Amino acid sequence: MSTQQNQPKPSLNGVKIKTRKRVNKANAKFEPEVFRDSIFEIISDVPGTDLEKISSKLDSAGGSLDYRLYGETFFELLVAGGLIAPGGIIEYDDEYGELQFSLFKLCDDNDPLPGAKIWVNLILRLTRRYKYLEKIFSETSKGILEYVNRYSEANNNKLASGYGLLIAEGLMTADSIKVLQKDHLVKDGLSLHFLTMFMKAYLTRLNVNSLFNALYKARADHLVDFFPPNKRTDEYFIRHFESEDMHSIINYRIATQENAARNVILNDIVQLINNNEESEPPIAEIIKVSRRAMTQNNLSENETVVLIWDAIIGNIKWGMRSEVIEQQALSEVKEYADAFTPFTSSPKSEMALLKHIQLYCYEDAKLMRLFSQIVRILYTEDVLSHDAIVFWATKGALPQGKSTFLKQMEKFIAYLDSIEEEDSDESDDE
């Protein structure tokens, strides 16, 4: 054992020990009012309308002011022009009043977007210099949103516009929007109004797909959750966004619902195929599931028949060799041909299936050379008619791979033409 274990550590008498910087910071007082006053003093000699000079002053002030410690206070000032006290009360400075370049001050009550754009540029300059402010501002934004029931309608419109532009610029995530799903904000329609103004601002910069992608990442893409409980219907959803002239939101929702229905049908058919233990394919069950889906989702034959194709062909576990792939594709089409027949009862649905197969083979290189053989099988099995195939060849083919597929089909089209001529000759003889 060491004999020095209990010996006291040496010390230097009369020597001042310098405290480490991080210890000083930990012991420093948190004085948001002092920070607020410092911001006013820094820009006191700059006219309130000279945003270029204000931006430069704030940019350089980070060297003397602790933006990291007072980031939350800073964002409150930049948004509301004062400190936001518990309960959503905005406390302005007794001497200087309201910050002239805050979001609430810069924006016009009737048209907040122009002022919000200027404000976002100010935030952009700050966060470029002090990158850590992005995270601080994003977190603080949630607390500010909690009090939308305390702000005026004009200020809420300004806040929604500013947030919409900030998130579109990537300066803030959409996580804060979930705060609006709190019951007391939803029931009075405040959440819906704020969300609507927010989306309008966002859509001035980016498209509707980008908007829903941002909301999805924040798990806030289920817009109905922002509607008052007694108004969460498709009818009210459409009526609300029509009144706001936001048809892109309605169209996106309809497309999403259709895609969800499509995935359910595909999954149901794939499960029927994979769980089938009989020697024969489950044709009757596929038809039953497809008809039920048509009724429940208001689908047409055209839409349903291509889904059946995608489910059946998309479920094939392809081999590696070309001859194996050919045998798999053609035998599967022949085996499941009767599943298509009830859904090609009109020329329109026949053409929908034929065009879809053309596109499917064009996009999947391994099937491209099999197009004509697939069409022959579907003709033989009475899924596609003579007239539909001839019309496709003369007028209906899609541009994708058109010349290649028409070349493949030359002999078969000639065969169909010869049958038509024979039928015509027999009619004349009669």
Side-chain angles (χ1 to χ4, degrees):
M1 291 181 67
S2 172
T3 57
Q4 299 179 3
Q5 186 174 1
N6 298 319
Q7 294 295 322
K9 293 181 179 179
S11 61
L12 295 174
N13 294 324
V15 176
K16 186 176 180 180
I17 306 297
K18 186 178 180 181
T19 309
R20 298 181 73 85
K21 192 179 288 185
R22 63 173 175 269
V23 177
N24 280 331
K25 283 190 176 181
N27 295 329
K29 287 184 179 180
F30 182 70
E31 299 175 311
E33 292 83 4
V34 174
F35 178 83
R36 177 190 62 192
D37 293 345
S38 298
I39 292 292
F40 276 108
E41 289 168 6
I42 286 168
I43 53 96
S44 60
D45 61 338
V46 181
T49 55
D50 194 342
L51 293 173
E52 187 65 32
K53 282 188 178 178
I54 289 172
S55 180
S56 296
K57 287 272 189 180
L58 293 175
D59 198 30
S60 57
S64 56
L65 296 180
D66 194 343
Y67 283 170
R68 193 183 294 274
L69 178 63
Y70 290 100
E72 183 178 340
T73 303
F74 197 14
F75 194 59
E76 288 180 3
L77 287 169
L78 290 169
V79 170
L83 302 181
I84 301 176
I89 299 168
I90 302 173
E91 297 179 344
Y92 300 116
D93 188 272
D94 292 335
E95 180 181 352
Y96 297 104
E98 183 179 357
L99 201 66
Q100 295 300 302
F101 52 87
S102 70
L103 176 64
F104 287 177
K105 192 69 175 176
L106 283 173
C107 292
D108 181 75
D109 286 357
N110 298 316
D111 185 13
L113 267 176
K117 289 176 181 177
I118 295 170
W119 179 77
V120 167
N121 287 334
L122 183 66
I123 301 295
L124 181 60
R125 286 191 61 170
L126 277 169
T127 51
R128 274 180 183 166
R129 176 75 182 272
Y130 306 101
K131 192 68 178 174
Y132 58 83
L133 286 176
E134 277 189 26
K135 185 177 181 181
I136 297 173
F137 287 178
S138 193
E139 287 298 318
T140 308
S141 67
K142 299 174 187 177
I144 294 174
L145 267 192
E146 287 183 356
Y147 301 120
V148 292
N149 57 326
R150 301 292 187 182
Y151 311 140
S152 66
E153 182 179 344
N155 279 346
N156 275 333
N157 290 342
K158 297 170 185 178
L159 189 59
S161 299
Y163 274 27
L165 295 177
L166 273 184
I167 294 170
E169 290 289 346
L171 299 174
M172 198 167 77
T173 67
D175 291 348
S176 57
I177 299 300
K178 281 190 70 72
V179 171
L180 297 172
Q181 292 177 347
K182 292 187 175 182
D183 291 342
H184 69 286
L185 300 178
V186 170
K187 68 178 182 180
D188 295 328
L190 284 169
S191 297
L192 178 58
H193 177 76
F194 190 99
L195 181 73
T196 303
M197 294 299 293
F198 159 80
M199 293 194 296
K200 280 185 175 181
Y202 189 103
L203 292 172
T204 62
R205 292 288 178 93
L206 298 173
N207 61 32
V208 70
N209 291 326
S210 174
L211 168 65
F212 276 93
N213 187 44
L215 292 173
Y216 173 77
K217 288 178 180 177
R219 297 183 181 179
D221 57 321
H222 197 231
L223 300 189
V224 175
D225 291 343
F226 296 90
F227 282 68
N230 62 335
K231 295 178 178 178
R232 293 178 179 178
T233 63
D234 287 342
E235 181 185 355
Y236 189 84
F237 184 97
I238 292 171
R239 194 162 70 242
H240 171 75
F241 286 110
E242 277 183 344
S243 68
E244 297 290 341
D245 196 25
M246 298 176 72
H247 297 281
S248 62
I249 302 295
I250 299 171
N251 294 337
Y252 186 92
R253 176 177 167 81
I254 291 171
T256 301
Q257 290 175 330
E258 289 176 350
N259 193 49
R262 178 182 184 275
N263 289 336
V264 169
I265 299 168
L266 289 174
N267 187 58
D268 287 347
I269 295 174
V270 167
Q271 283 191 351
L272 284 173
I273 295 171
N274 292 341
N275 296 336
N276 182 46
E277 296 179 353
E278 304 297 327
S279 57
E280 296 296 319
I283 302 296
E285 290 83 354
I286 291 174
I287 294 171
K288 183 179 178 182
V289 163
S290 301
R291 280 181 171 156
R292 185 173 68 237
M294 280 181 68
T295 304
Q296 290 176 345
N297 300 289
N298 197 28
L299 298 175
S300 64
E301 273 192 1
N302 307 12
E303 295 167 312
T304 306
V305 74
V306 298
L307 288 176
I308 297 171
W309 170 272
D310 286 349
I312 292 170
I313 305 304
N315 193 49
I316 300 174
K317 306 297 185 291
W318 299 106
M320 297 295 291
R321 298 168 62 184
S322 60
E323 59 268 26
V324 174
I325 291 171
E326 179 177 344
Q327 187 273 328
Q328 285 178 300
L330 300 182
S331 63
E332 203 80 356
V333 171
K334 184 175 177 61
E335 193 173 10
Y336 284 92
D338 289 343
F340 301 111
T341 307
F343 305 97
T344 53
S345 62
S346 69
K348 208 170 185 180
S349 54
E350 286 185 75
M351 283 304 299
L353 177 60
L354 193 45
K355 287 181 178 181
H356 187 71
I357 294 171
Q358 177 191 345
L359 195 59
Y360 199 96
C361 291
Y362 174 77
E363 292 176 347
D364 193 336
K366 62 179 174 287
L367 298 179
M368 200 159 185
R369 63 188 183 83
L370 304 178
F371 176 75
S372 63
Q373 296 179 66
I374 291 170
V375 174
R376 280 173 180 265
I377 292 172
L378 294 176
Y379 170 77
T380 304
E381 300 296 327
D382 289 329
V383 176
L384 297 175
S385 67
H386 168 283
D387 290 344
I389 297 170
V390 171
F391 181 83
W392 172 86
T394 54
K395 297 179 181 179
L398 296 171
Q400 292 89 341
K402 180 177 178 179
S403 59
T404 301
F405 295 133
L406 286 176
K407 185 72 175 173
Q408 282 186 31
M409 293 285 288
E410 278 181 353
K411 290 183 179 179
F412 186 51
I413 297 297
Y415 165 74
L416 294 177
D417 287 340
S418 66
I419 292 176
E420 189 175 21
E421 288 175 6
E422 288 176 9
D423 290 344
S424 178
D425 291 342
E426 287 177 5
S427 289
D428 291 342
D429 291 341
E430 291 175 3

